[in-house]
Amino acid sequence: MPNNKRKNRDNRNEEVTMTLPNEKDTPIQDYEDDDIEEMQEADLKKLIRTLRSSQKQILELQKSLMDKIENLSRENEILRRNQNETKQLVQQETVIVTRNHNEVKNSIDQMKNTIESLTNRMGEAEERISDLEDRAQENIQSNQRKDEEIRNLKHIVGNLQDTIKKPNIRVLGVPEGMEREKGLEGLFSEILAENFPGLEKDREILVQEAHRTPNKHDQKRSSPRHFVIKLSRVKHKEKILKCAREKRQITLRGSPIRLTADFSSETLQARREWRDIAQVLREKNCQPRILYPAKLSFVNEGEIKTFHSKQKLKEFVATRPALQQTLKDVLHTETQKHGHQYERR
């Protein structure tokens, strides 16, 4: 725009400079025919020169106008060309913008479709996860029921085994091969004769069965296998074990051995779990005993208390501050043991 203004100013200046001379600038005046005839030769010559000068100025002006027209035509052509180029660029840009718009629109549509598809898949995944969670919860509950059933079955089997083994006596510490001479029944009779002479003569004490356990001897095992004696009556077993507790030291051919009741593995484990508690109570002179099959009995404040489980014992101890202080450490240790066992499972 400044260039156009400058050109316009230049054109106006040229127009001012190229204007025809007015009456004041030239000696030409209006002459009548008579005057022309009366004019002298000098005046004619002067008039002719003036006319030639004016003609020259007119030609120059005409040339200048033609140049300007030509320049304007060129500029117009340039403008027209620029306009066409601009129009083409606009059209190209319009095509590009339209194409980009369509591509963006298609991309947005694809994104919408993808999002919708992902939303649907997420919904399906959530439903499947919910179903899996329900199934997992059902499996957990089913496993819990199975575990409870297994525990109950183990308890029933243990009770059955304890019932079957109730008349049995387990003998520990008898060397392997010692039974070759007399057999296990003969060794048991020898134990009774050596430790309980009165019982050995009791004809009612009958041995129904005797065997080593386990059946096969492991050569790597350092200690001898136990052997089990099955008596005809439970009262005979209890009588022998009572005498063994009273005598404390039981021997066979001078070597120490042990006589115990024969229990299932579950009952043995339950009895072992009472040992530490019984030891602490024994130190406090509470006269603890582990009763058949796995009950803890002790004296507290002049009364005999019997417990089938540690939970019942804990509930009772919570009401006896002195007893709670006595068993605090051992019960805390037992709780930690059970916690570690639960973590391993």
Side-chain angles (χ1 to χ4, degrees), residues 221-265:
R221 183 184 177 123
S222 58
S223 60
R225 292 176 295 166
H226 305 168
F227 75 82
V228 178
I229 300 295
K230 184 176 182 180
L231 302 176
S232 58
R233 294 186 180 181
V234 175
K235 67 177 184 178
H236 295 157
K237 178 205 74 171
E238 293 175 348
K239 188 176 182 179
I240 293 172
L241 292 180
K242 181 180 179 182
C243 292
R245 286 193 296 270
E246 291 174 353
K247 191 173 186 300
R248 294 181 180 274
Q249 183 69 37
I250 308 299
T251 60
L252 174 61
R253 299 177 185 177
S255 299
I257 60 172
R258 286 178 56 201
L259 301 181
T260 67
D262 188 25
F263 298 107
S264 65
S265 57

Side-chain angles (χ1 to χ4, degrees), residues 29-278:
Q29 299 179 356
D30 294 334
Y31 293 102
E32 298 292 338
D33 293 337
D34 294 339
D35 295 333
I36 292 172
E37 291 177 355
E38 294 178 357
M39 289 179 62
Q40 296 180 1
E41 184 179 356
D43 293 331
L44 287 172
K45 290 180 178 180
K46 184 177 181 180
L47 178 61
I48 290 170
R49 284 196 299 271
T50 301
L51 290 173
R52 288 179 176 174
S53 175
S54 298
Q55 184 181 11
K56 184 177 179 181
Q57 291 179 357
I58 290 170
L59 292 173
E60 291 176 354
L61 179 59
Q62 183 180 5
K63 182 180 178 183
S64 176
L65 289 174
M66 292 302 292
D67 292 339
K68 288 182 179 181
I69 291 172
E70 186 178 356
N71 291 333
L72 288 174
S73 298
R74 283 197 301 270
E75 291 178 359
N76 186 40
E77 179 65 23
I78 293 172
L79 288 174
R80 187 181 63 80
R81 192 181 303 113
N82 291 339
Q83 184 179 6
N84 292 334
E85 291 177 355
T86 303
K87 185 177 180 181
Q88 290 178 357
L89 289 174
V90 170
Q91 290 176 348
Q92 292 175 356
E93 291 295 328
T94 302
V95 171
I96 294 172
V97 169
T98 304
R99 188 186 304 117
N100 292 338
H101 174 72
N102 293 333
E103 291 177 355
V104 171
K105 185 178 179 182
N106 292 334
S107 298
I108 292 173
D109 292 338
Q110 291 178 358
M111 291 175 65
K112 287 181 178 179
N113 294 332
T114 303
I115 292 172
E116 185 177 358
S117 175
L118 289 174
T119 302
N120 294 333
R121 291 175 65 182
M122 287 178 63
E124 294 175 357
E126 288 176 355
E127 291 179 359
R128 293 176 65 183
I129 290 171
S130 178
D131 292 340
L132 291 174
E133 288 177 347
D134 293 340
R135 291 181 184 178
Q137 186 63 30
E138 292 175 358
N139 290 335
I140 291 172
Q141 294 175 355
S142 176
N143 291 334
Q144 289 175 347
R145 288 193 296 270
K146 289 179 180 178
D147 291 340
E148 184 65 25
E149 292 175 359
I150 291 172
R151 283 194 294 271
N152 292 336
L153 288 174
K154 285 183 177 180
H155 182 67
I156 292 171
V157 171
N159 289 339
L160 288 174
Q161 288 179 342
D162 289 334
T163 301
I164 294 171
K165 295 181 177 185
K166 198 167 185 179
N168 294 356
I169 292 178
R170 184 176 288 258
V171 182
L172 291 71
V174 177
E176 294 281 346
M178 202 171 186
E179 65 272 20
R180 291 172 185 167
E181 298 177 5
K182 300 180 179 181
L184 294 175
E185 294 181 10
L187 286 179
F188 185 67
S189 297
E190 187 176 342
I191 291 170
L192 294 181
E194 184 174 335
N195 295 278
F196 320 114
L199 293 179
E200 192 270 337
K201 297 178 182 180
D202 191 345
R203 299 299 179 183
E204 293 184 356
I205 299 177
L206 299 177
V207 176
Q208 291 186 338
E209 183 182 339
H211 64 275
R212 287 272 189 182
T213 181
N215 293 329
K216 292 183 179 180
H217 177 56
D218 186 0
Q219 298 295 334
K220 296 180 181 179
R221 183 184 177 123
S222 58
S223 60
R225 292 176 295 166
H226 305 168
F227 75 82
V228 178
I229 300 295
K230 184 176 182 180
L231 302 176
S232 58
R233 294 186 180 181
V234 175
K235 67 177 184 178
H236 295 157
K237 178 205 74 171
E238 293 175 348
K239 188 176 182 179
I240 293 172
L241 292 180
K242 181 180 179 182
C243 292
R245 286 193 296 270
E246 291 174 353
K247 191 173 186 300
R248 294 181 180 274
Q249 183 69 37
I250 308 299
T251 60
L252 174 61
R253 299 177 185 177
S255 299
I257 60 172
R258 286 178 56 201
L259 301 181
T260 67
D262 188 25
F263 298 107
S264 65
S265 57
E266 289 78 10
T267 302
L268 284 174
Q269 180 60 33
R271 291 174 69 88
R272 290 191 194 101
E273 291 178 356
W274 286 122
R275 287 180 182 174
D276 293 340
I277 297 174

Side-chain angles (χ1 to χ4, degrees), residues 263 271 274 289-297 304-306:
F263 298 107
R271 291 174 69 88
W274 286 122
R289 291 183 61 194
I290 299 177
L291 304 179
Y292 183 89
K295 296 181 288 186
L296 177 67
S297 173
I304 297 176
K305 301 294 182 182
T306 304

